[in-house]
Amino acid sequence: MKILMVTSETVPFAKTGGLADAVSALAINLRKQGHDVRIVMPRYYKIDRSKLKAIEAPLAVAAGTIETWVKVYEAPLPGSDVPVYFIDHEQCFGRDGIYGTKAEPDFHDNPYRSAVLCHGAFQLCRLLGWYPDIMHAHDWFCCLVPVLLKHVCRNGYFAHTASVLTIHNLGYQGWYGKDNFPALGVDWNLYHGAGFERNGSINLLQAGISCADMITTVSPTYAGEMQSVEGGFGLDGLLRVRSDVVRGVLNGCDLETWNPETDKLLPANFSYKDLANKAKCKAELQKRMGLPVKKDVPVIGIVTRLADQKGIAEVFAPGYGSIYSMCANMDLQFAILGSGEKWCEDEINALQSKLPNLRAYIGYDESLSHLIEAGSDFFLMPSRYEPCGLNQMYSMLYGTLPIVRRTGGLADTVEQYNQDNGDGTGFLFDALTPGAVYDTVGWAVWAYYNKKDHIKKMQLRGMQKNFSWDTSAQNYVGVYSDALWRGCGINTADWK
């Protein structure tokens, strides 16, 4: 198949979260399976033009009320032969931030910026003379792609092209005032006709869901949660109407970067065949964080964005969260890496001054994130919702047992501990309350001290899990086949 990924982020060129990792990993793995996969994204000003190859032809896109001219650059995705095309438009993308900055968290002209990328994706295909079977749009910023394909472009060279929309996080929808609609470069009859209208405004994700031939999200459980009132962020009704085209495909993870046998960021490597050096990583983690070096005290790691989605209030909120009680009442240590909401950063710093068994680094440090995964005994992820999650996968691969809320990808990847026989790969709870977090951490700590054979058994089981992208890529091929059938009446089984 010929597949064009349309995205606002791709590792290593631009990243704010897991979307960027998923796009590049999926593209590389589909390419390995023999598919002609290409990526198109904006050229943000931090992406150095001198390291890109210019395509010497101007490109006109119909974003806004007048024609907009852009330039296109090209480079291979590092470590692969996947071509990445960059839409260069200084007014749109020559600034700090992908979607916004601290001063302007959501750029006022994001609808126009989105339109330049999405219209540009179709024009790029025309320029190259390369017409994909699938246009795969990722998240709200690229939702104009399925709209354009269904209502404007599915004719001529795009008559046999289908669209797939992947929702990486339903909480981000691209919701803007109605006065931004002309910036999208489409006829006003599509305001209602393509599903943009939402409470008198425009909702880009809603339009994408309305128009895409197939819709995926990043785990099977999250596909169901999106269709519930509690997890649907107001779009659950539409998703239920379109439930026949919704699929949950679990993300894989980067097994070259996250492999305890070869990880160059660790002080010592280890595997499920020999766990001895995990103790060296634990000791190094304790030293680096300023914790007492005690090999027989469980260390609980946290690497997270300090945001409401991650359940931070139930852990850290003053007078409400459970972490002070856990540190005061249990023989354990916490090693924390994260940044985000200021109140939470301030509270964590205050806790460090009161609790000798809690230490944190506010910010992000790649080597420390690897050391926490390798050196901890447990990893806490009490997410309010988690479309897929990667840290719980990293943890299991590194012999660190996850303590997670049973939601989204956490529910799909972590198996509940059975204290009768030691089965499972971690500890799960349902209600997001400080009490539930406290009790589940307490259960894990109890098992650490009283069921050491079970802990070892779970570690070995988790380390042998297969979280590669191979299976995910194969599942996406099935989704693409469904999209071609639904959107264009093409049966890929007839292809030779």
Side-chain angles (χ1 to χ4, degrees):
M1 289 187 194
K2 293 185 290 185
I3 303 154
L4 181 64
M5 302 276 182
V6 187
T7 181
S8 52
E9 306 177 31
T10 304
V11 163
F13 300 108
K15 175 180 175 176
T16 64
L19 160 63
D21 298 292
V23 170
S24 58
L26 177 57
I28 289 170
N29 279 272
L30 287 168
R31 191 83 169 185
K32 287 178 180 177
Q33 293 180 16
H35 301 283
D36 184 358
V37 186
R38 309 185 187 190
I39 298 171
V40 60
M41 65 175 291
R43 189 203 71 82
Y44 304 106
Y45 91 97
K46 289 186 178 179
I47 301 173
D48 188 352
R49 282 194 190 99
S50 67
K51 297 180 180 179
L52 310 176
K53 176 185 175 183
I55 294 179
E56 297 301 339
L59 205 66
V61 299
T65 56
I66 59 173
E67 205 167 48
T68 300
W69 291 86
V70 302
K71 190 169 180 59
V72 181
Y73 291 86
E74 180 184 357
L77 192 64
S80 78
D81 58 351
V82 175
V84 181
Y85 299 99
F86 300 88
I87 303 295
D88 189 36
H89 187 276
E90 196 69 23
Q91 177 187 337
C92 289
F93 308 122
R95 62 182 83 170
D96 285 324
I98 293 177
Y99 313 107
T101 61
K102 285 189 175 181
E104 187 183 5
D106 190 10
F107 289 136
H108 69 280
D109 59 345
N110 272 340
Y112 178 67
R113 300 171 74 239
S114 165
V116 169
L117 173 62
C118 295
H119 283 279
F122 286 90
Q123 289 294 79
L124 173 67
C125 295
R126 296 184 178 104
L127 176 66
L128 298 175
W130 179 85
Y131 297 93
D133 301 300
I134 298 293
M135 295 189 76
H136 190 160
H138 292 269
D139 263 356
W140 67 269
F141 198 85
C142 303
C143 277
L144 196 57
V145 166
V147 174
L148 291 170
L149 186 58
K150 180 177 181 179
H151 291 284
V152 181
C153 299
R154 188 173 275 154
N155 50 50
Y157 290 114
F158 292 100
H160 301 112
T161 300
S163 65
V164 173
L165 168 63
T166 294
I167 301 169
H168 294 263
N169 190 328
L170 191 65
Y172 299 94
Q173 299 183 3
W175 199 327
Y176 298 94
K178 184 178 180 179
D179 58 328
N180 286 280
F181 189 79
L184 300 179
V186 295
D187 194 274
W188 267 104
N189 63 22
L190 294 182
Y191 177 63
H192 291 283
F196 285 101
E197 192 277 331
R198 179 80 177 177
N199 296 341
S201 301
I202 59 172
N203 186 307
L204 297 176
L205 184 59
Q206 179 177 280
I209 292 170
S210 299
C211 296
D213 294 313
M214 289 294 294
I215 300 161
T216 73
T217 191
V218 292
S219 72
T221 295
Y222 191 61
E225 291 175 348
M226 290 195 310
Q227 298 175 58
S228 70
V229 173
E230 296 80 8
F233 289 91
L235 295 180
D236 51 288
L238 174 60
L239 286 163
R240 287 194 297 273
V241 168
R242 301 223 64 204
S243 61
D244 61 325
V245 303
V246 176
R247 303 284 186 273
V249 181
L250 187 70
N251 280 349
C253 63
D254 181 354
L255 299 182
E256 293 185 7
T257 301
W258 293 96
N259 183 343
E261 291 188 68
T262 58
D263 192 336
K264 295 179 181 179
L265 297 178
L266 301 184
N269 295 112
F270 56 94
S271 74
Y272 75 92
K273 296 177 181 178
D274 184 359
L275 280 170
N277 281 343
K278 185 171 172 64
K280 293 182 180 179
C281 293
K282 180 175 180 176
E284 180 61 28
L285 173 62
Q286 290 170 320
K287 290 177 186 176
R288 184 165 173 182
M289 297 299 290
L291 291 163
V293 179
K294 297 180 178 179
K295 66 178 182 179
D296 295 324
V297 172
V299 175
I300 299 178
I302 298 176
V303 179
T304 188
R305 284 186 297 111
L306 300 176
D308 180 67
Q309 177 197 337
K310 301 300 182 179
I312 58 172
E314 286 69 23
V315 178
F316 297 111
Y320 175 70
S322 58
I323 198 161
Y324 187 91
S325 296
M326 289 189 286
C327 289
N329 300 338
M330 302 180 198
D331 193 6
L332 52 68
Q333 297 175 344
F334 271 95
I336 301 166
L337 171 64
S339 64
E341 295 191 23
K342 188 175 186 303
W343 74 261
C344 194
E345 293 181 356
D346 292 343
E347 179 62 17
I348 291 172
N349 282 326
L351 287 166
Q352 289 193 85
S353 66
K354 302 173 186 175
L355 298 166
N357 55 346
L358 182 151
R359 291 293 180 266
Y361 179 91
I362 301 301
Y364 186 72
D365 183 299
E366 182 72 11
S367 65
L368 182 56
S369 71
H370 284 244
L371 186 58
I372 288 175
E373 291 289 9
S376 299
D377 298 289
F378 303 100
F379 192 94
L380 180 59
M381 288 183 74
S383 301
R384 188 171 305 280
Y385 68 97
E386 194 66 61
C388 178
L390 290 172
N391 280 102
Q392 83 279 9
M393 298 186 204
Y394 303 155
S395 297
M396 286 183 276
L397 294 173
Y398 281 61
T400 298
L401 303 182
I403 303 170
V404 302
R405 182 163 177 262
R406 199 191 316 264
T407 184
L410 304 180
D412 289 325
T413 52
V414 182
E415 301 165 35
Q416 182 67 291
Y417 168 52
N418 183 328
Q419 67 184 50
D420 293 329
N421 59 21
D423 285 349
T425 57
F427 301 81
L428 295 95
F429 60 95
D430 293 297
L432 182 54
T433 64
V437 175
Y438 182 95
D439 290 343
T440 311
V441 168
W443 185 26
V445 170
W446 172 85
Y448 179 88
Y449 284 113
N450 297 283
K451 297 285 186 177
K452 292 190 179 297
D453 57 327
H454 287 184
I455 294 294
K456 180 70 175 292
K457 184 178 178 181
M458 287 195 290
Q459 285 179 311
L460 296 179
R461 185 181 295 111
M463 293 181 76
Q464 295 177 74
K465 285 284 188 180
N466 180 7
F467 294 124
S468 77
W469 269 97
D470 294 345
T471 301
S472 302
Q474 291 168 9
N475 288 335
Y476 269 107
V477 172
V479 171
Y480 296 155
S481 295
D482 288 346
L484 284 164
W485 174 247
R486 290 175 180 275
C488 310
I490 296 172
N491 186 352
T492 58
D494 297 333
W495 287 7
K496 294 182 181 179

